Amino acid sequence: MTAFRAPIGTKDVLPPDSARWAMLAARFYEQFHAAGYGLVITPIFEELGVFLRIGEATDVVTKEMYDFDDKGGRRIALRPESTASVVRAFVEHRPTTPWKAIYLGPQFRYEAPQAGRFRQFHQVGAEVLGTLDPDADVEVMALLDRFYRSLGLQRYRLLVNSLGDRADRARYVDVVRAYFQSHAAELSEQSRVTLARNPLRVLDSKRREDLPIVMAAPRSVDYLSDEAGAHFERVQSGLRALDVPFELAPRLVRGLDYYTRTTFEFASDALGSAQNALGGGGRYDGLSEEMGGPAAPAIGFAAGVERILLACDAEGVFPAPAAAVDVFVVDTTGGAEAMALTFELRSAGVSADRAFDGRSMKSQMKAADRSGAAVVLIVGSQERDAGTVTLRPLRNGFDQQSQFEVSRADVVQHVRKYL
Ligand code: AMP
């Protein structure tokens, strides 16, 4: 029988690597929680319509959506991103603003899988809904920057741009369309197709033949209203005040249609250029209203967990922690002693493991060694009858050959001396 494999574009995350995932998630949660953000958990599937607001001309919606009819005949989609879901939840529950939300979890896009690009991938993200204050833009960028730094990452750049308000953006789209149309003959065939559907996306093209034309394209910052221009100035001075390095990226438009004003992306210099985005986001001042909610200008970002970990590998930082327990209990009396002892240790805050299946002493000692434990406690029938335990330190510079009997009643106290 052929064995099943994980579907194309997905992967299993197993120990020890999964420990990094847990640590990354915990660190993200702690840092944003400490800045007033609360965890929001939304379903991984929604009515398809929720995601159509991302932009009906974007690849994410037209080509990459995992959508299907459920058994009740509803049109459902697995979420390709979480901002739309968070805004749907905001509109449904109307929390007081500013609403500072964080999320983490899987996202689904039917893309061509390659290094750093998966069909199920994972994001951590944050959103601030209900404020137009440029300080909110600065806050989310500065917190994300600190998060990356806390993992040890250094080789990345924050790229920032502004698309202006809806009217500025519409004007800019017209200018960009006219510009690319006048250079259509020089563009790649793919970009000509993109141009007909979504002119701004041509700015994202990384094809060599497109580059000279893209590099000379009009810049959105030249089409900002006074208000949007002032907002963008405040964002930049805020980043400078917090010493968050950034670069202006006049053609950074990002993939999703809902962005207005600020857009940003963190690009890793340690990863290949095609998949170098560690995370990105921007303002989406109109999305709440488009979803039938109150006016609620907002800013947020999403960062790819797999991508961040790839960048950590490339920079040699944030290694998987060694999976080690403090104590391994070897029990040659049948297992009852190991059970009692491990739970006693765990209750006292000492991590402990044991072997199962009544293995031989030798096999249990091997398991103890593999466990990375600092101390082995051995209970045979002689110790059990004497009310003692044999203690053998394995690590931390203690003589590994030495072992001695300690009283069963004081075992936790004795163990602590060797941790
Ligand atoms: P986006 O929602 O497209 O703005 O993506 C935000 C971040 O998610 C990107 O910067 C990447 O880090 C990550 N990401 C997006 N798509 C994928 C994918 N297919 N596989 C892995 N990571 C992804």
Side-chain angles (χ1 to χ4, degrees):
M1 213 165 73
T2 47
F4 291 113
R5 301 177 65 92
I8 294 171
T10 71
K11 64 172 186 175
D12 302 312
V13 184
L14 308 178
D17 204 39
S18 53
R20 300 167 90 197
W21 284 63
M23 274 173 29
L24 183 148
R27 196 159 302 177
F28 183 80
Y29 180 82
E30 281 157 20
Q31 290 184 12
F32 279 80
H33 186 69
Y37 292 72
L39 181 65
V40 171
I41 300 170
T42 62
I44 62 163
F45 61 89
E46 299 268 357
E47 278 180 51
L48 176 68
V50 169
F51 302 118
L52 296 183
R53 305 307 198 290
I54 297 170
E56 302 202 30
T58 61
D59 284 356
V60 168
V61 170
T62 53
K63 295 192 202 148
E64 298 169 2
M65 196 92 88
Y66 274 92
D67 53 339
F68 56 94
D69 292 324
D70 75 3
K71 293 190 196 318
R74 297 172 202 88
R75 195 73 195 153
I76 296 294
L78 302 186
R79 64 180 182 206
E81 56 114 49
S82 284
T83 301
S85 302
V86 171
V87 175
R88 195 269 309 139
F90 172 80
V91 170
E92 184 172 334
H93 303 286
R94 308 283 170 115
T96 37
T97 56
W99 196 48
K100 295 169 77 168
I102 47 172
Y103 61 83
L104 57 153
Q107 319 290 335
F108 306 86
R109 295 182 193 174
Y110 195 80
E111 298 196 77
Q114 49 192 294
R117 193 165 286 283
F118 304 93
R119 289 183 175 168
Q120 174 172 337
F121 60 100
H122 299 76
Q123 287 180 335
V124 291
E127 316 283 355
V128 183
L129 287 108
T131 172
L132 194 55
D133 194 327
D135 285 1
D137 308 30
V138 174
E139 177 169 297
V140 294
M141 286 187 258
L143 288 173
L144 183 54
D145 178 62
R146 277 175 60 178
F147 170 64
Y148 292 139
R149 299 251 175 240
S150 79
L151 303 178
L153 291 173
Q154 292 184 335
R155 295 177 52 205
Y156 65 84
R157 286 167 297 130
L158 167 59
L159 310 173
V160 187
N161 191 22
S162 174
L163 294 174
D165 291 316
R166 193 188 291 249
D168 308 338
R169 185 189 161 114
R171 214 151 24 112
Y172 179 58
V173 171
D174 288 341
V175 170
V176 166
R177 184 187 296 112
Y179 168 79
F180 282 128
Q181 277 169 350
S182 70
H183 289 87
E186 298 145 76
L187 287 175
S188 65
E189 200 182 320
Q190 286 93 337
S191 285
R192 281 202 296 274
V193 174
T194 310
L195 174 58
R197 280 194 301 134
N198 194 343
L200 286 193
R201 295 292 289 166
V202 179
L203 293 168
D204 278 344
S205 169
K206 303 223 162 68
R207 290 193 181 78
R208 197 181 306 164
E209 60 264 50
D210 294 333
L211 280 187
I213 302 150
V214 167
M215 297 302 280
R219 311 177 324 158
S220 57
V221 285
D222 295 330
Y223 296 86
L224 301 184
S225 65
D226 289 348
E227 279 160 14
H231 184 104
F232 194 39
E233 284 300 325
R234 284 271 311 276
V235 169
Q236 294 175 58
S237 58
L239 288 171
R240 278 192 284 267
L242 289 182
D243 285 327
V244 178
F246 66 94
E247 294 171 21
L248 294 181
R251 289 167 197 95
L252 179 72
V253 291
R254 302 201 24 86
L256 313 176
D257 270 1
Y258 50 59
Y259 287 116
T260 50
R261 296 200 178 190
T262 314
T263 56
F264 62 95
E265 195 158 281
F266 284 84
S268 169
D269 292 326
L271 296 179
S273 68
Q275 261 73 245
N276 68 350
L278 294 178
R283 273 206 162 270
Y284 47 94
D285 293 335
L287 192 56
S288 170
E289 282 166 291
E290 280 174 40
M291 290 225 191
I299 173 113
F301 68 78
V305 173
E306 289 85 352
R307 250 357 128 70
I308 295 170
L309 292 176
L310 277 175
C312 288
D313 291 339
E315 293 199 38
V317 297
F318 200 58
V325 288
D326 296 324
V327 177
F328 196 94
V329 178
V330 169
D331 175 359
T332 57
T333 73
E337 298 297 318
M339 180 129 86
L341 205 40
T342 46
F343 273 89
E344 195 175 318
L345 288 159
R346 290 165 188 164
S347 301
V350 176
S351 62
D353 200 2
R354 53 165 292 187
F356 291 114
D357 299 314
R359 298 282 166 116
S360 69
M361 170 83 173
K362 193 170 156 207
S363 154
Q364 291 190 50
M365 284 307 294
K366 267 198 196 147
D369 209 42
R370 271 199 307 272
S371 76
V375 171
V376 187
L377 294 177
I378 304 163
V379 191
S381 45
Q382 178 246 319
E383 283 96 342
R384 182 189 54 196
D385 297 344
T388 62
V389 174
T390 296
L391 187 157
R392 185 188 293 183
L394 283 187
R395 305 252 181 283
N396 300 343
F398 292 104
D399 179 0
Q400 292 196 21
Q401 302 314 315
S402 71
Q403 60 175 44
F404 37 87
E405 277 184 59
V406 298
S407 133
R408 171 72 178 78
D410 305 327
V411 68
V412 174
Q413 222 176 308
H414 288 289
V415 160
R416 285 198 202 281
K417 289 185 237 159
Y418 297 92
L419 298 181

